[in-house]
Amino acid sequence: MQEQQFIPSKSYQLPEKGEVKWESPSNIALVKYWGKYGEQLPKNSSISFTLSHCKTTTQLSYQKKNSSKKFSFEVYLDGNRTESFEPKIEKFFERVEKYLPFLTEYHFKIETQNSFPHSSGIASSASGMSALALCLLQLERQANSAMTEEFFNQKASFLARLGSGSAARSIKGNLVVWGEHTAVNKSSNLYGVEFSDKVHEVFKNYQDTILLVDRGEKQVSSTVGHNLMHNHPFAEQRFLQANSNLEKILPVLQSGNLDDFIFIVEQEALSLHAMMMSSSPYFILIKPNTLEIINKIWEYRETHKSKICFTLDAGANVHVLYPENEKAKVLDFIKNQLVGYCQKGMYICDEVGFGAKPL
Ligand code: PMV
């Protein structure tokens, strides 16, 4: 599939006004995307668990406009007008206009809410951008009833990617691959595809408890971080490692071999942060408490013969991953030994989910 196939081939009779609403989840990468080229294209393939409880709900109200402004919209977060979000949306509209030519014909009211606290350090870009992409595409689908479900999902992921790379993996569940890889049928740099081979039962309800170590503003945004991979001395090796880890994790997701799963997932998390620490300029996003938690997890895994492990995204928070049958014990461990390292003792219990939903 080429970009051009996402450009509507004819103009449709669009409604005068209306509204659509979608909820879309966040995702946590097992094999990480870090480094991009062109227009939001990944330098390596990645795979993520779609989450269930961490999500964004977006309502898009649209009305044919009469203003001369190219894009006319207003954004509300939790009912409050949030002008600080508008430059990002403007940029997103610029990028996707070619694929959604009706954008310039409407005034949009975008009302959005996250299920997780704002400034919790949990990135809302994956769930937020995918929810908005789904709403906009739903508007096109209303006028084009011939659009297949498969095309809808591909184009939604394609558009979401143009808002935020990892958002491409938030449309479907429970495991999504983004980035072309010979081991994954139909995989693409343009959009995410569901990992459709038989996934082992243990991963169908895998748990992810997110420990909120640092809720502050990140010192380095992921846009800057991705760009620092351009002249990074270890970049090419890192892209090879990620593609190789993707190939290694696929049979593990089918066999349910949790020791191999743990090894790949933790190596990926630490490699991601090693790239940050060896960029020019270098930076560190983990905090002392991130390391305290990692050491406690390793100690617990050893003494309790547990299958608990961790992963990290581009921040200090720790995603604690474990099979559902260990839930009660791991939650006790978190409450007794890890909450002290979390800001205000905050953590969020999530698990693998199945993708976005219209409301
Ligand atoms: O989607 P972005 O540009 O915010 O990049 C996210 C990158 C990581 O979260 C660190 C890894 C990933 O694959 O999600």
Side-chain angles (χ1 to χ4, degrees), residues 171-185:
I171 307 296
K172 299 292 286 177
N174 41 9
L175 282 155
V176 178
V177 175
W178 170 43
E180 221 171 290
H181 198 296
T182 47
V184 182
N185 198 16

Side-chain angles (χ1 to χ4, degrees), residues 78-109:
D78 299 327
N80 302 314
R81 179 86 191 259
T82 314
E83 289 181 21
S84 60
F85 280 15
E86 292 175 6
K88 200 165 178 192
I89 306 281
E90 179 91 21
K91 194 164 157 207
F92 174 62
F93 276 17
E94 286 288 349
R95 278 199 185 142
V96 298
E97 186 201 347
K98 199 158 109 192
Y99 309 102
L100 301 170
F102 58 82
L103 279 185
T104 49
E105 292 177 35
Y106 285 100
H107 174 74
F108 296 103
K109 185 175 181 195

Side-chain angles (χ1 to χ4, degrees), residues 180-194:
E180 221 171 290
H181 198 296
T182 47
V184 182
N185 198 16
K186 296 191 178 167
S187 55
S188 169
N189 284 348
L190 299 178
Y191 47 81
V193 295
E194 235 176 315

Side-chain angles (χ1 to χ4, degrees), residues 27 29 31-34 36 46 125 164-167 169 222 226 272 313-314:
N27 67 74
V31 173
K32 309 289 181 182
Y33 145 68
W34 197 243
K36 57 183 171 181
S46 56
S125 60
S164 171
S166 56
R169 298 187 311 241
S222 49
H226 283 289
L272 167 73
D313 55 18

Side-chain angles (χ1 to χ4, degrees), residues 12-203:
Y12 301 109
Q13 191 63 40
L14 289 159
E16 196 58 34
K17 61 179 187 165
E19 56 190 40
V20 284
K21 195 170 183 180
W22 276 82
E23 67 167 45
S24 191
S26 185
N27 67 74
I28 180 68
L30 304 171
V31 173
K32 309 289 181 182
Y33 145 68
W34 197 243
K36 57 183 171 181
Y37 69 98
E39 203 164 45
Q40 299 273 97
L41 297 165
K43 288 288 263 178
N44 63 259
S45 25
S46 56
I47 186 166
S48 50
F49 274 145
T50 305
L51 295 180
S52 178
H53 308 314
C54 288
K55 59 192 174 195
T56 298
T57 302
T58 297
Q59 172 161 319
L60 180 78
S61 312
Y62 50 91
Q63 169 138 40
K64 285 266 168 93
K65 72 169 204 237
N66 39 31
S67 100
S68 57
K69 261 174 74 184
K70 185 174 178 196
F71 299 122
S72 172
F73 64 89
E74 49 198 319
V75 184
Y76 293 80
L77 174 67
D78 299 327
N80 302 314
R81 179 86 191 259
T82 314
E83 289 181 21
S84 60
F85 280 15
E86 292 175 6
K88 200 165 178 192
I89 306 281
E90 179 91 21
K91 194 164 157 207
F92 174 62
F93 276 17
E94 286 288 349
R95 278 199 185 142
V96 298
E97 186 201 347
K98 199 158 109 192
Y99 309 102
L100 301 170
F102 58 82
L103 279 185
T104 49
E105 292 177 35
Y106 285 100
H107 174 74
F108 296 103
K109 185 175 181 195
I110 302 165
E111 291 169 279
T112 193
Q113 281 160 299
N114 296 323
S115 64
F116 44 90
H118 188 58
S119 79
S120 58
I122 297 188
S124 59
S125 60
S127 54
M129 283 299 174
S130 53
L132 181 57
L134 284 156
C135 286
L136 292 168
L137 189 58
Q138 179 76 28
L139 172 48
E140 182 186 326
R141 178 155 73 173
Q142 283 173 0
N144 173 14
S145 53
M147 193 186 287
T148 64
E149 191 63 20
E150 190 187 4
F151 183 85
F152 180 83
N153 289 329
Q154 278 177 355
K155 184 164 173 179
S157 170
F158 172 87
L159 296 170
R161 185 200 98 232
L162 291 168
S164 171
S166 56
R169 298 187 311 241
S170 274
I171 307 296
K172 299 292 286 177
N174 41 9
L175 282 155
V176 178
V177 175
W178 170 43
E180 221 171 290
H181 198 296
T182 47
V184 182
N185 198 16
K186 296 191 178 167
S187 55
S188 169
N189 284 348
L190 299 178
Y191 47 81
V193 295
E194 235 176 315
F195 176 60
S196 52
D197 294 6
K198 206 168 165 9
V199 173
H200 193 277
E201 285 302 312
V202 73
F203 296 117

